Amino acid sequence: MKITVVGAGGMGSRFALALHGAGFDVTLVDGWQANIDAIRKDGLQAELNGEHVVAHLPIYSPQEIDQSGVSADLIVAFTKSNQLGGMFEQIRPIIHKDTYVLCLLNGIGHEDVLERFVPKDHLILGITMWTAGMTGPGHVVLNGSGEVELQNFAPAGEPFALDVVTAFEKAGLNPKYSQNVKYSIWRKACVNGTLNSLCALLDCNIGELGKTAQAETFLREIIAEFAAVATHEGLDLDQEEIYQHVAATFTANIAGHYPSMHQDLVVNHRLTEIDFINGAVVRKGEKYGVATPHNALLTQLIHAKEQLIGAK
Ligand code: NAD
């Protein structure tokens, strides 16, 4: 299986290293020139659970892809949500009729973007509990372990999705074939839609958010809107279970952690994935006639903060 990882940031690098280590033919595509230059010059460098690892992988910019001769059986998408459509527009030349796309991005509604580039039965969606961080161009820090849950978006995609599970098993990525990945995607989006946006706006970590008197109300109201919209997509989200799942992080060992949206926006002044988290609930709510005032306000506040900070 020829694999192209599109988006060689923290997560793309993690998956590329694992798959390359298991013997797969892996190519990277990235839109950040400094990252491309660093990986070409010194290889992809990772601190993998304290061990320094270097892998020399081919890497192309989207502009180079047309002349690259790259062809992919599987494209693993690991851009940020807000970069996904633009990136796939540029990499059209490597998408042929047998190419499958796996999307493990946080958030909801990525299938609406990807369906413009591949048929539904060539689309595989999922979530991952692996984590990763970039410390600079060509450098990533990869700690701990994780899992992947995935499922074909349309029934005909099942055989290839099962092949991906087998490939990921070989790479030690702990994959699981899911019977209802859509539920898992929405459940995880509820975590991001509460912790990410609130911590970014309040400039606090998860534990600090949990200590505020408003935290429980915020969480419950936001999750209730996710659930009301999800009903129209055939999902019956268990609001109490999801609330307890999110609230458990307030006192867990990740309580001191600043969620990725906080890091992206407040620390690194980057644009956020808000339009595919709370913003997606607002868009879908408008479509189904469901009011989503909390998610709408959060989305607009994050966009306002992006402007004030000059996020790019
Ligand atoms: P990332 O920011 O590390 O990388 C995404 C893209 O942004 C890459 O193309 C990268 O080259 C580029 N980029 C990174 N820093 C940049 C900079 N300073 N300037 C210009 N470009 C830059 O993103 P990620 O953390 O790998 O996340 C990818 C997807 O996976 C997201 O949807 C995220 O929500 C999801 N996810 C992340 C984690 C995690 O622990 N990082 C865990 C689960 C899911």
Side-chain angles (χ1 to χ4, degrees):
M1 189 184 291
K2 280 190 170 183
I3 301 170
T4 299
V5 177
V6 171
M11 294 299 283
S13 298
R14 182 186 265 289
F15 277 63
L17 281 172
L19 291 161
H20 171 74
F24 290 97
D25 177 345
V26 179
T27 301
L28 301 172
V29 177
D30 200 59
W32 185 18
Q33 193 58 47
N35 196 35
I36 297 171
D37 294 344
I39 292 173
R40 279 190 182 147
K41 184 167 171 280
D42 299 319
L44 173 56
Q45 313 227 13
E47 299 307 320
L48 181 60
N49 294 325
E51 187 194 342
H52 188 70
V53 175
V54 182
H56 293 274
L57 295 171
I59 182 163
Y60 298 94
S61 71
Q63 294 78 17
E64 291 167 334
I65 210 71
D66 209 3
Q67 305 299 321
S68 67
V70 171
S71 90
D73 302 315
L74 173 67
I75 294 176
V76 182
F78 262 132
T79 61
K80 290 287 194 179
S81 298
N82 50 314
Q83 303 166 325
L84 187 68
M87 175 60 92
F88 269 75
E89 204 62 69
Q90 291 179 286
I91 63 158
R92 273 184 196 273
I94 60 165
I95 304 173
H96 53 80
K97 69 174 179 39
D98 298 322
T99 305
Y100 284 76
V101 174
L102 167 65
C103 177
L104 298 174
L105 273 58
N106 279 334
I108 44 187
H110 297 112
E111 60 276 20
D112 299 337
V113 174
L114 292 169
E115 274 181 59
R116 305 203 311 258
F117 307 100
V118 278
K120 278 188 177 51
D121 56 10
H122 280 49
L123 195 50
I124 304 167
L125 300 177
I127 58 166
T128 178
M129 306 311 284
W130 289 98
T131 60
M134 286 194 99
T135 49
H139 286 76
V140 292
V141 177
L142 310 173
N143 286 322
S145 68
E147 288 154 25
V148 177
E149 199 183 317
L150 61 84
Q151 187 184 21
N152 38 292
F153 186 53
E158 184 174 333
F160 193 85
L162 292 170
D163 286 350
V164 174
V165 169
T166 305
F168 279 20
E169 266 164 5
K170 206 172 155 199
L173 288 165
N174 301 333
K176 186 173 92 181
Y177 183 78
S178 172
Q179 297 297 338
N180 189 3
V181 86
K182 194 169 174 184
Y183 190 99
S184 305
I185 289 171
W186 276 76
R187 181 175 181 267
K188 191 170 190 219
C190 286
V191 179
N192 296 131
T194 46
L195 301 182
N196 269 271
S197 33
L198 289 171
C199 289
L201 285 169
L202 298 172
D203 192 4
C204 66
N205 63 33
I206 294 170
E208 288 165 345
L209 172 67
K211 288 195 185 110
T212 65
Q214 290 77 12
E216 178 171 353
T217 308
F218 281 153
L219 262 57
R220 288 193 183 278
E221 297 283 3
I222 296 164
I223 293 167
E225 291 178 10
F226 268 75
V229 172
T231 310
H232 292 264
E233 302 234 331
L235 290 173
D236 182 14
L237 296 186
D238 182 341
Q239 292 184 52
E240 184 59 28
E241 185 278 328
I242 294 175
Y243 167 74
Q244 295 297 342
H245 173 59
V246 180
T249 62
F250 293 153
T251 50
N253 57 1
I254 58 161
H257 176 73
Y258 288 81
S260 60
M261 193 176 290
H262 181 282
Q263 293 174 29
D264 287 340
L265 183 56
V266 181
V267 180
N268 296 318
H269 299 185
R270 295 179 66 199
L271 292 168
T272 69
E273 300 187 291
I274 194 76
D275 286 334
F276 286 84
I277 306 175
N278 307 89
V281 172
V282 177
R283 269 198 313 282
K284 287 175 182 286
E286 282 165 4
K287 180 172 153 193
Y288 301 127
V290 177
T292 57
H294 293 82
N295 282 281
L297 183 61
L298 283 175
T299 304
Q300 293 312 320
L301 286 171
I302 289 287
H303 280 317
K305 191 158 177 151
E306 287 173 341
Q307 290 164 50
L308 291 172
I309 284 181
K312 292 200 174 59

